[in-house]
Amino acid sequence: MIEPIRSRPGDDAANGATALDRMIQGALGDAAHSIHVVGVERLKRRVLRLHLHDADGDRTIVAKRLDPLEARRTELLARRWLPAEGLGAHGPGLLGVSATRRGRWTWHFYEDLGDASLVGREEETAAVEAVVRLVARIHSRFATHP
């Protein structure tokens, strides 16, 4: 269910519409136009699908709230380590990063790949094999990394 974010001002994951709008604007926006959160879906704890509106229209992105150390490692993985091994295109793109005002949390904003999951698709042999091959490739490439 999609809810307007402004109907949930006390929600700690959403961190209030104004603050989240500011973080998204800082991470994704430019001076030419503003981005506004018009709805939110909770996908799991600390993971939201945000429905945005800006001058280009409507779109969705996925936002993850991480502690700062986890956020830094994840950012290095997405922007440096996976691309260095030719694996950068095998997941959602990291669109932007923004820390909360006090630095307790860091938000990562990702491309929304939709509901692409293997849950309930275990019988689709080709999809399962593709994922197993990718996981094996990642593990073999990083087996000697510290």
Side-chain angles (χ1 to χ4, degrees), residues 1-17 39-42 48:
M1 176 170 71
I2 303 167
E3 296 180 32
I5 196 167
R6 283 163 177 63
S7 70
R8 301 166 50 174
D11 188 338
D12 67 330
N15 196 26
V40 63
E41 292 175 72
R42 184 178 304 276
L48 307 170

Side-chain angles (χ1 to χ4, degrees), residues 3-6 14 16-22 24-25 34-41 48-54 61 109:
E3 296 180 32
I5 196 167
R6 283 163 177 63
T18 304
L20 196 52
D21 279 348
R22 269 196 314 270
I24 291 169
Q25 186 66 38
S34 61
I35 300 170
H36 298 286
V37 178
V38 294
V40 63
E41 292 175 72
L48 307 170
R49 175 174 285 131
L50 302 176
H51 296 259
L52 307 179
H53 178 77
D54 64 13
I61 62 172
F109 303 102

Side-chain angles (χ1 to χ4, degrees), residues 1 5 9 21 24 34-35 37 53 56 77 91 96 98 108 112 115 120 125 129 134 141:
M1 176 170 71
I5 196 167
D21 279 348
I24 291 169
S34 61
I35 300 170
V37 178
H53 178 77
D56 297 327
L77 178 70
S98 184
H108 278 195
D112 186 359
D115 294 323
T125 308
E129 285 178 0
L134 179 59
R141 294 270 177 98

Side-chain angles (χ1 to χ4, degrees), residues 50-68:
L50 302 176
H51 296 259
L52 307 179
H53 178 77
D54 64 13
D56 297 327
D58 297 328
R59 64 180 168 147
T60 60
I61 62 172
V62 173
K64 293 184 177 183
R65 188 181 72 173
L66 306 164
D67 70 73

Side-chain angles (χ1 to χ4, degrees), residues 66-89:
L66 306 164
D67 70 73
L69 184 58
E70 180 184 10
R72 181 62 180 145
R73 285 191 307 256
T74 303
E75 183 176 6
L76 287 170
L77 178 70
R79 292 195 171 154
R80 200 151 121 202
W81 300 334
L82 288 176
E85 293 296 327
L87 298 166

